[in-house]
């Protein structure tokens, strides 16, 4: 029991209640101890007992189905026994309690076993009920059974599952408690009407073990498999119901905080987090103030958790204030572990602000290794690797650092960090343009067996690392034109990470980007344009860049240029090198629209310098394509072809289908420009035709009809120059069919890459 300062009883989670569901469990235990059951079925039932006892009350249909999956014969016997009590009289229920097995040394329900303790608690709780409470329990049992059996309950209104008040259920208290108030609330017509549509999780107060089991299960699922946890609204409802009977239940407040973080509710999450630490201090277990125990420990970790909360919501000033408070209290208490956590959040906060935090991160790694905190040390190294990738370090340096962390992970069996390390490796290889290596690492992660113990039927493929790996695989498939495979990956992602889960935003943004690129490649700008606001809602930078792409394609050059300039300034502040390079390439393309190719050259050279400095091979190859095209337009096809050959190998090895097709088409155009200047002009023309055939195969894979139309036009011109009339007519016919199908004016082939 818990009392406040005036000695009055405050709300608590009840100890033991006799409920219709508990009577069903007792019936199951009775059948297991008195009936002959096959060994395999008995083993399955034994595994089922503990979850049934400690879990929340279930509807009878769910309960019987669960038992039937293990042993149909026993489920039928339990149903018959419940039917006898529900359709019989009160004395039948009374007789059932007298026939329960006696927990002795010789019976299976040994008095100190889980089953024996449960039976003893139920018998003691039942024997303490008054006559009116026994009658209410009997009526509740009737309602419980007939709701399942779809029969009327003789005109009686349903009564709540929990009928006994706290003073009757508490085996140690004889004083008047909140039981009378609870009984009045439970007998109210409003609550009775609600109970007619009762959910599997009970609406009444849970026992201590039920509450602990419920909270432990939901917290585990939120961490490991958000999809299997209760939905945010439903979990909020159950926690509110639990806190109504016990406002000082600290663990329920913390689960409420975790649940609010799922839906990014800053008010409830802050409120619940503060209540958790308030209740933790008042609980008595934190009453000491020396060493790592007591009020000081709760206060400093409360401040640290509050800092992490504000970090996640982008409230950097508030996070900094809370973090400084946590550091001050930890220093006063000489708590090195808390100080290390504070240091980890400090460099994370600096990174979020866009500042250079490499010195802080290195200090954190050294101190974490000194105090034998491998988890924090590994996270620090992972952060250093991320910063190194942004700063332009070479791939082998980063991979060497990740190799050291992997040794640490396997040594200490840090399964979660192994997954994070592999996901980060995938991202690094993608950033450096090594798609084959990225795909290999993704397959390694997806086929890895987790080292974590699996509880509550959770599979270990619902973490953020798996979501990142699957998103990268989807993008790699889309780049190769394998949209069927991409669809299957997203179908799996939607099942594993439904929209309400915390990692769903990863695949949502990825799906939108893939759809946008597909529509842009197909020339369907009217379909790509509505996707821009959705992308911007997920990622402002990506949304602005794609808005500029659409405006450029719609020939709204001035608006596109204004957005690209604004985006470039923002990315230079945040040091987002990849986006800066893409913006420079798009700006150069805008200059092409006005045939001002020479003005775009400095921008392309700047993009090439940045991409090579940061080892971004994919962007460097794309920049070389733009340079080659610019040189071709400036009338130097030989130099253009020389630059293009430098980019062809990495593009054909690691590039996407669109980049491969554009590179080969540009190579063919350079060869066409050299036909008149070379003595072997006919051979050059034949080579150009063959190159265009390869480009056409790539564009056909993407179903990019606009590009195919350009290819057929160039092929018809080449065949005409060679005097190949039949081939020319065939290409002209294909061009005409595509032109009629597209029904859009053809952009000048010589003016776009």
């Amino acid at each position: 029991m818990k009392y406040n300062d005036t000695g009055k009883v405050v709300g608590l989670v009840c100890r033991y209640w006799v409920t219709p569901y508990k009577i069903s469990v007792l019936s199951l235990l009775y059948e297991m101890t008195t009936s002959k059951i096959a060994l395999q079925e008995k083993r399955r039932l034994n595994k089922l007992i503990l979850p049934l006892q400690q879990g929340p009350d279930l509807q009878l249909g769910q309960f019987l189905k669960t038992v039937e999956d293990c042993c149909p014969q026993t489920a039928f016997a339990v149903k018959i026994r419940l039917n006898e009590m529900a359709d019989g009289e009160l004395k039948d229920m009374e007789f059932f309690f007298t026939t329960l097995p006696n927990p002795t040394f010789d019976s299976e329900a040994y008095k100190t076993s889980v089953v024996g303790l449960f039976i003893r608690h139920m018998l003691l709780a039942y024997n303490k009920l008054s006559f009116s409470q026994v009658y209410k329990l009997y009526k509740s049992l009737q309602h419980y059974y007939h709701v399942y059996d779809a029969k009327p309950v003789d005109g009686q209104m349903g009564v709540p599952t929990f009928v006994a008040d706290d003073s009757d259920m508490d085996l140690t208290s004889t004083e008047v408690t909140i039981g009378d108030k609870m009984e009045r609330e439970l007998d109210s017509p409003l609550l009775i009407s609600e109970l007619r549509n009762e959910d599997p999780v009970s609406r009444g107060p849970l026992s201590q073990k039920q509450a602990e089991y419920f909270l432990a299960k939901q917290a585990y699922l939120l961490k490991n498999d958000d999809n299997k946890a209760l939905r945010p609204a439903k979990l909020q409802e159950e926690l509110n119901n639990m806190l109504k009977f016990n406002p000082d239940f600290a663990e329920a407040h913390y689960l409420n905080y975790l649940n609010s973080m799922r839906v990014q509710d800053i008010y409830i999450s802050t409120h619940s987090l503060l209540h958790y630490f308030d209740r933790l201090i008042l609980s008595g277990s934190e009453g000491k103030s020396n060493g790592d125990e007591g009020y000081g420990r709760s206060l400093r970790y409360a401040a640290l958790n509050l800092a992490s909360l504000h970090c996640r919501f982008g409230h950097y000033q508030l996070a900094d204030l809370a973090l400084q408070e946590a550091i001050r209290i930890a220093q006063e208490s000489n708590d090195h572990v808390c100080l290390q956590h504070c240091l980890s959040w400090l460099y994370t906060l600096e990174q979020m602000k866009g500042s250079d935090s490499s010195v802080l991160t290195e200090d954190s790694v050294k101190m974490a290794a000194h105090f034998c905190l491998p988890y924090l040390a590994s996270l620090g190294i992972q952060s250093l690797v991320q910063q190194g990738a942004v700063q332009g370090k070479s791939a082998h340096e980063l991979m060497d650092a990740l190799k050291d962390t992997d040794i640490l992970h396997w040594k200490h069996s840090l399964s979660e960090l192994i997954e994070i390390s592999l996901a980060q490796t995938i991202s690094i290889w993608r950033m450096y343009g090594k798609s084959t290596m990225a795909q290999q690492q993704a397959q390694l992660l997806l086929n890895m067996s987790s080292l974590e113990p699996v509880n509550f039927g959770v599979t270990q493929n619902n973490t953020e690392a798996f979501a990142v790996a699957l998103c990268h695989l989807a993008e790699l498939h889309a780049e190769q034109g394998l949209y069927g495979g991409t669809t299957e990956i997203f179908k799996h992602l939607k099942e594993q990470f439904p929209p309400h889960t915390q990692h769903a935003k990863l695949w949502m943004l990825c799906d939108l980007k893939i759809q946008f690129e597909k529509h842009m490649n197909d020339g369907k700008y009217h379909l790509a344009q509505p996707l821009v606001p959705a992308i911007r809602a997920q990622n402002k930078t990506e949304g602005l860049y794609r808005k500029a792409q659409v405006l450029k394609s719609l020939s709204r050059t001035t608006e596109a240029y204004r957005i690209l300039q604004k985006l470039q300034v923002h990315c230079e502040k945040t040091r987002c090198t990849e986006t800066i390079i893409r913006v420079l390439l798009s700006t150069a393309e805008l200059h092409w629209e006005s045939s001002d190719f020479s003005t775009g050259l400095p921008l392309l050279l700047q993009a090439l310098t940045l991409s090579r400095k940061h080892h971004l091979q994919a962007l460097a190859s794309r920049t070389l394509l733009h340079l080659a095209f610019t040189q071709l337009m400036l009338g130097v096809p030989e130099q253009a072809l020389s630059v293009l050959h430098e980019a062809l190998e990495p593009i054909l090895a690691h590039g996407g289908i669109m980049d491969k097709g554009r590179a080969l088409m540009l190579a063919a155009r350079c060869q066409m420009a050299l036909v008149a200047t070379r003595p072997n002009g006919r051979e050059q023309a034949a080579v150009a035709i063959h190159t265009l055939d390869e480009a056409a195969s790539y564009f056909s894979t993407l179903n990019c009809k606009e590009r195919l139309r350009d290819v057929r036009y160039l092929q018809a011109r080449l065949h005409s120059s060679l005097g190949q009339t039949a081939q020319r007519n065939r290409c002209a016919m294909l061009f005409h069919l595509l032109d009629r199908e597209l029904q859009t004016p053809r952009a000048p082939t010589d003016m776009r890459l």
Side-chain angles (χ1 to χ4, degrees):
M1 300 290 292
K2 293 183 181 179
Y3 299 86
N4 59 15
D5 295 337
T6 63
K8 188 176 179 180
V9 178
V10 298
L12 77 164
V13 176
C14 313
R15 291 190 177 183
Y16 301 103
W17 297 94
V18 183
T19 67
Y21 170 74
K22 295 290 177 61
I23 294 175
S24 303
V25 177
L26 288 173
S27 301
L28 173 62
L29 295 175
Y30 178 83
E31 296 298 332
M32 289 177 63
T33 54
T34 58
S35 305
K36 291 184 178 180
I37 304 175
L39 181 61
Q40 292 296 330
E41 293 179 341
K42 189 135 191 175
R43 285 178 178 172
R44 290 196 292 267
L45 287 172
N46 287 338
K47 292 180 180 179
L48 190 64
I49 288 300
L50 191 60
L52 289 177
Q53 288 182 19
Q54 294 185 348
D57 288 10
L58 302 175
Q59 293 284 12
L60 183 57
Q62 291 178 303
F63 171 76
L64 290 176
K65 186 176 186 312
T66 305
V67 177
E68 188 177 4
D69 292 340
C70 298
C71 181
Q73 180 183 355
T74 304
F76 181 74
V78 170
K79 180 181 176 182
I80 294 298
R81 182 163 297 279
L82 292 174
N83 178 66
E84 291 174 355
M85 287 187 278
D87 288 344
E89 299 178 358
L90 180 59
K91 64 180 182 180
D92 295 312
M93 186 181 74
E94 186 77 23
F95 176 74
F96 169 72
F97 276 93
T98 62
T99 60
L100 285 176
N102 187 25
T104 62
F105 286 96
D106 297 330
S107 69
E108 294 186 18
Y110 179 59
K111 63 181 181 180
T112 59
S113 67
V114 174
V115 173
L117 287 172
F118 178 75
I119 294 176
R120 290 171 66 194
H121 287 314
M122 290 298 102
L123 286 172
L124 288 171
Y126 180 77
N127 290 333
K128 286 182 67 66
L129 295 177
S130 65
F131 177 78
S132 62
Q133 291 167 340
V134 171
Y135 180 75
K136 285 182 180 180
L137 176 62
Y138 174 66
K139 284 303 188 182
S140 179
L141 178 63
Q142 282 188 318
H143 176 74
Y144 181 73
Y145 180 81
H146 289 303
V147 165
Y148 159 74
D149 207 31
K151 294 181 180 179
V153 197
D154 300 330
Q156 298 288 339
M157 292 188 69
V159 295
T161 301
F162 298 94
V163 296
D165 60 51
D166 184 68
S167 61
D168 287 327
M169 290 297 99
D170 184 9
L171 305 182
T172 61
S173 172
T174 58
E175 298 181 8
V176 178
T177 65
I178 59 169
D180 296 335
K181 179 181 177 182
M182 285 170 51
E183 190 169 340
R184 286 195 299 271
E185 289 177 353
L186 293 174
D187 285 340
S188 66
L190 178 61
L191 186 56
I192 288 173
S193 64
E194 288 178 358
L195 285 169
R196 289 186 176 276
N197 298 318
E198 194 174 4
D199 289 313
V201 181
S202 174
R203 296 280 182 180
L206 302 177
S207 71
Q208 187 73 30
K209 288 189 177 296
Q210 281 182 319
E212 290 173 355
Y213 179 81
F214 174 77
L215 294 176
K217 179 178 180 180
Q218 293 301 317
Y220 181 87
L221 292 175
L222 287 181
K223 179 179 181 294
N224 295 284
D225 194 350
D226 199 354
N227 190 21
K228 291 189 177 180
L230 291 178
R231 288 185 174 262
K234 179 62 181 171
L235 183 55
Q236 181 74 47
E237 184 182 348
E238 297 303 331
L239 290 172
N240 289 342
N241 180 61
M242 190 180 295
L243 291 169
K244 179 179 69 174
F245 293 99
N246 182 10
D248 293 332
F249 199 6
E251 288 78 5
H253 283 290
Y254 191 77
L255 187 60
N256 203 9
Y257 155 69
L258 295 177
N259 187 46
S260 302
M261 289 296 295
R262 297 163 74 189
V263 293
Q264 301 293 299
D265 190 327
I266 177 65
Y267 175 76
I268 295 181
S269 55
T270 307
H271 179 82
S272 299
L273 184 63
L274 295 176
H275 272 288
Y276 166 70
F277 283 101
D278 288 344
R279 268 59 180 183
L280 196 65
I281 292 173
L282 295 173
S283 65
S285 60
E286 298 287 336
K288 300 177 183 179
S289 59
N290 58 327
D292 291 334
E293 302 294 333
Y295 302 112
R297 184 175 189 277
S298 294
L299 288 173
R300 56 183 176 266
Y301 278 101
L304 180 59
N305 278 272
L306 191 60
S308 70
L309 173 67
H310 287 303
C311 268
R312 290 186 174 95
F313 283 102
H315 306 157
Y316 301 138
Q317 187 175 0
L318 292 173
D320 190 57
L321 291 173
L323 201 53
Q324 295 302 326
E325 179 69 10
I327 292 171
R328 184 185 62 79
I329 302 174
Q331 286 175 337
E332 291 176 357
S333 305
N334 200 27
D335 187 344
H336 297 292
V337 176
C338 184
L339 283 171
Q340 274 307 115
H341 283 282
C342 291
L343 186 55
S344 297
W345 275 107
L346 192 59
Y347 72 68
T348 303
L349 181 60
E350 291 300 318
Q351 286 180 16
M352 290 179 172
K353 291 178 180 178
S355 305
D356 185 7
S357 61
S358 55
V359 176
L360 279 175
T361 310
E362 290 174 4
D363 290 341
S364 175
V365 172
K366 291 175 184 176
M367 296 302 293
H370 176 73
F371 290 110
C372 298
L373 300 171
Y375 193 93
L376 291 180
S378 176
L379 286 178
I381 297 174
Q382 299 277 358
S383 181
L384 282 173
V385 168
Q386 275 189 342
Q387 294 176 54
V390 172
Q391 293 167 2
K393 291 189 177 179
S394 61
H396 73 271
E397 293 178 288
L398 302 182
M399 294 305 159
D400 285 344
L402 287 175
K403 181 190 68 176
D404 295 337
T405 61
D406 288 339
I407 294 172
L408 195 65
H409 299 157
W410 290 106
K411 180 180 178 181
H412 297 278
S413 298
L414 301 173
S415 178
E416 181 183 0
L417 293 182
I418 294 172
E419 296 169 3
I420 292 173
S421 177
L422 285 171
Q424 184 147 277
T425 305
I426 298 167
S427 300
I428 290 172
W429 283 127
R430 282 293 313 281
M431 184 183 74
Y432 286 154
K434 306 292 186 181
S435 59
T436 306
M437 293 299 298
Q439 187 172 2
Q440 181 192 54
Q441 293 296 310
Q443 294 294 341
L444 180 62
L445 173 57
L446 295 175
N447 289 282
M448 188 185 73
S449 298
S450 175
L451 303 177
E452 292 287 339
V454 178
N455 300 318
F456 305 112
V458 171
T459 54
Q460 291 297 315
N461 59 350
N462 291 79
T463 59
E464 183 180 13
F466 279 91
V468 170
L470 287 169
C471 287
H472 280 304
L473 273 182
E475 289 179 344
L476 289 170
H477 278 73
E479 286 177 2
Q480 301 304 321
L482 304 173
Y483 291 111
T486 302
T487 303
E488 290 299 317
I489 292 172
F490 280 120
K491 181 180 177 182
H492 177 72
L493 278 165
K494 290 172 184 177
E495 292 174 357
Q496 294 294 105
F497 305 94
H500 68 274
T501 57
Q502 57 184 332
H503 302 315
K505 60 184 180 182
L506 295 172
W507 64 258
M508 287 179 177
L509 178 59
C510 181
D511 189 19
L512 289 169
K513 286 161 63 177
I514 289 174
Q515 290 183 48
F516 179 88
E517 294 298 334
K518 185 176 187 299
H519 293 321
M520 292 296 288
N521 290 338
D522 294 344
K524 299 176 180 177
Y525 309 127
H526 64 287
L527 296 178
Q529 194 168 10
L531 297 175
V532 173
I535 295 174
R536 191 171 182 179
Q538 298 284 345
N539 188 307
K540 185 177 179 181
T541 304
E542 292 289 339
L544 279 174
Y545 175 72
R546 279 161 176 76
K547 183 178 181 180
Q549 292 291 98
V550 172
L551 292 174
K552 179 171 67 68
S553 301
L554 295 174
S555 300
R556 294 163 63 179
T557 310
T558 305
E559 296 175 61
Y561 183 79
R562 191 182 302 116
I563 291 174
L564 289 173
Q565 292 303 303
K566 178 182 175 183
L567 188 57
Q568 184 175 348
V569 172
H570 170 72
C571 292
E572 286 172 352
K573 289 180 180 178
T574 57
R575 297 184 299 173
C576 186
T577 308
E578 291 181 87
T579 308
I580 292 173
I581 296 171
R582 288 189 294 164
V583 166
L584 290 171
L585 296 181
S586 296
T587 307
E589 291 174 1
L590 286 178
H591 289 295
W592 296 350
E593 298 290 332
S594 58
S595 301
D596 191 4
F597 296 99
S598 58
T599 307
L601 267 178
L603 299 175
L604 295 176
L605 292 174
Q606 183 184 351
L608 184 61
T609 302
L610 280 174
S611 56
R612 284 179 171 173
K613 178 182 176 182
H614 289 80
H615 309 283
L616 306 176
Q617 187 186 69
L619 288 174
S621 301
R622 196 171 299 172
T623 306
L624 288 172
L625 282 185
H626 283 68
L627 275 172
F629 177 76
T630 302
Q631 289 176 327
L632 177 63
M633 293 296 100
L634 292 174
V636 281
E638 290 186 0
Q639 293 183 16
L641 194 59
S642 175
V643 171
L644 184 59
H645 284 158
E646 185 180 348
L648 269 177
E649 184 177 344
I651 287 176
L652 294 177
H654 300 285
I657 290 287
M658 177 57 75
D659 286 337
K660 292 176 182 178
R662 292 199 306 170
L664 290 173
M665 187 173 173
L666 180 58
R669 289 170 62 184
C670 291
Q671 291 163 354
M672 287 177 63
L674 293 173
V675 167
T677 61
R678 297 278 179 91
N680 54 346
R682 295 183 64 85
E683 294 179 8
Q684 285 288 330
V687 172
I689 291 172
H690 178 69
T691 305
L692 287 171
D693 284 334
E694 291 186 46
S697 66
Y698 288 127
F699 293 139
S700 298
T701 303
L702 285 175
N703 196 29
C704 187
K705 295 179 181 178
E706 276 198 343
R707 299 281 180 175
L708 274 173
R709 180 173 62 179
D710 293 341
V711 169
R712 300 308 178 193
Y713 169 75
L714 293 175
Q715 285 182 323
R717 284 180 54 187
L718 284 169
H719 284 300
S720 178
S721 65
L722 294 175
Q724 299 172 347
T725 307
Q727 290 88 336
R728 180 202 63 188
N729 292 342
R730 175 179 170 276
C731 291
M733 181 192 67
L734 292 173
F735 168 82
H736 180 67
L737 292 174
L738 287 169
D739 192 54
R740 185 191 301 174
E741 183 179 351
L742 290 172
Q743 294 183 348
T744 55
R746 187 178 67 86
T749 308
D750 296 338
M751 298 300 294
R752 71 169 182 174
L753 176 59

